[in-house]
Amino acid sequence: MTAWHQEQDLLFGAPASRRHAAEPGARVKWPWGSGPHTLGLLLWRTAYDAGILVDEVPLADVLRYCDPAAAPPAAGPMPDAARDGGIGVGGVEAVARVRPVLLAHLAPELPRAALAGARPAATVGYRVREILATPDWDRGDWPAVIALARQAMRRADVLREQGSWRPGARERSLYCRMSLDREPADVIGARGGRAPGWLARATYLVGLADVLSGAVEAMPRDDGGTPEPLAQALEATARACAGLRTSTEEVRLLWAAEPQAPRDAADWELSRVPETLRVQTEETRELVRTLSAFLWALACA
């Protein structure tokens, strides 16, 4: 959240995007003490006081802790890491200056809230998952990962047609052995309730990342140790699928933590899975379909 704010706030001199920028080490330094740690502590305090998970903290609720007149964070309950000195708390100024960071993350919610009507307010987890799935941002540039996977498949096709690469029986049998076109299994959560559709699809894709990586490990390499063209395509697709791992695990844990199955699973999902993450998931599913068609072509070659 703090890194995203640094990139968006021109006062820091940071570009709007780092896709063509310098290495991460050139990122502008946080200008007030232990700002990121202070924000993390405020999020924890809000969750502690409300008796909820940090993931479920509404961003707007954290603002009241940014008032300079409020009790300093160090005066109340703190996580062990902070109390033991592992996390800098920051002074009154550091706490007060967390406010514009929160407001910057709340701003995108205003037009969405107007369109969605009674949709629940954005939570910390929702916003973080939205950032991580936002293209052209430091850790959200999933379109580039998908493009590399498609490029690897095209290259393998060209090399096969030119005769530079001749897939063997093991490569041609992957289509039948992997069954990439099968439907994802249901995810069972609170008291046996079936999870929303997105969670089932994303869980399947994350599991597929491990399957594809395992297949790559079992494939031969050339004399120089370079993976074969098919292995490169599988590895790139696995990387795209793995990009959903963190957000999927978070939502899965939230679903499992429900004391009982939500009455409306789709509505439950709507307040926890941002649109950017849905788009990333569907684009990754389409990539897997492309890989399945690619493997089918190899099987028929």
Side-chain angles (χ1 to χ4, degrees):
M1 291 176 69
T2 55
W4 180 89
H5 179 253
Q6 285 178 309
E7 290 188 1
Q8 304 303 312
D9 192 340
L10 297 181
L11 293 177
F12 289 101
S17 167
R18 283 209 308 277
R19 177 178 288 185
H20 306 295
E23 292 298 317
R27 180 182 293 176
V28 180
K29 184 179 179 181
W30 189 262
W32 53 84
S34 54
H37 292 158
T38 301
L39 175 57
L41 181 58
L42 294 182
L43 298 178
W44 183 91
R45 278 290 302 277
T46 308
Y48 179 89
D49 291 346
I52 59 178
L53 299 173
V54 172
D55 193 290
E56 298 176 324
V57 169
L59 286 173
D61 288 0
V62 190
L63 288 174
R64 63 189 179 93
Y65 290 88
C66 301
D67 186 349
M78 296 176 62
D80 291 340
R83 190 171 297 282
D84 295 340
I87 297 178
V89 177
V92 174
E93 181 184 1
V95 174
R97 296 198 63 178
V98 166
R99 186 179 183 86
V101 179
L102 292 170
L103 289 174
H105 287 284
L106 280 167
E109 275 302 301
L110 299 179
R112 276 200 297 266
L115 293 174
R119 182 187 154 208
T123 60
V124 172
Y126 182 100
R127 180 58 182 149
V128 170
R129 287 186 286 276
E130 184 175 48
I131 293 171
L132 294 181
T134 298
D136 205 21
W137 190 75
D138 181 28
R139 294 177 57 189
D141 201 7
W142 52 265
V145 179
I146 289 179
L148 288 175
R150 294 184 181 279
Q151 181 181 348
M153 290 182 222
R154 289 194 296 269
R155 177 176 177 274
D157 250 344
V158 170
L159 293 176
R160 180 178 61 83
E161 292 175 357
Q162 292 176 345
S164 303
W165 170 58
R166 297 181 179 179
R170 184 176 182 83
E171 287 88 347
R172 293 196 302 271
S173 67
L174 274 178
Y175 175 77
C176 294
R177 288 192 287 118
M178 302 197 76
S179 301
L180 297 180
D181 52 355
R182 69 175 181 267
E183 288 296 316
D186 289 330
V187 176
I188 306 300
R191 297 188 178 179
R194 296 184 184 279
W198 174 85
L199 185 55
R201 295 189 295 272
T203 298
Y204 168 72
L205 292 171
V206 170
L208 191 58
D210 298 329
V211 173
L212 293 172
S213 295
V216 170
E217 291 297 324
M219 299 188 74
R221 296 174 177 264
D222 62 20
D223 295 338
T226 303
E228 294 290 337
L230 177 57
Q232 295 179 30
L234 295 178
E235 188 173 28
T237 305
R239 191 178 306 114
C241 292
L244 297 166
R245 190 183 302 276
T246 298
S247 294
T248 301
E249 181 66 11
E250 289 175 356
V251 176
R252 186 189 67 79
L253 291 174
L254 290 173
W255 177 258
E258 292 290 341
Q260 59 184 13
R263 183 174 302 177
D264 188 334
D267 185 64
W268 181 96
E269 179 181 272
L270 183 64
S271 63
R272 292 161 177 82
V273 182
E275 181 62 23
T276 54
L277 183 54
R278 295 174 187 273
V279 173
Q280 178 185 1
T281 305
E282 290 309 308
E283 291 294 329
T284 305
R285 290 181 73 198
E286 185 60 33
L287 174 66
V288 171
R289 295 189 190 101
T290 302
L291 177 61
S292 180
F294 172 73
L295 294 179
W296 181 82
L298 286 186
C300 297

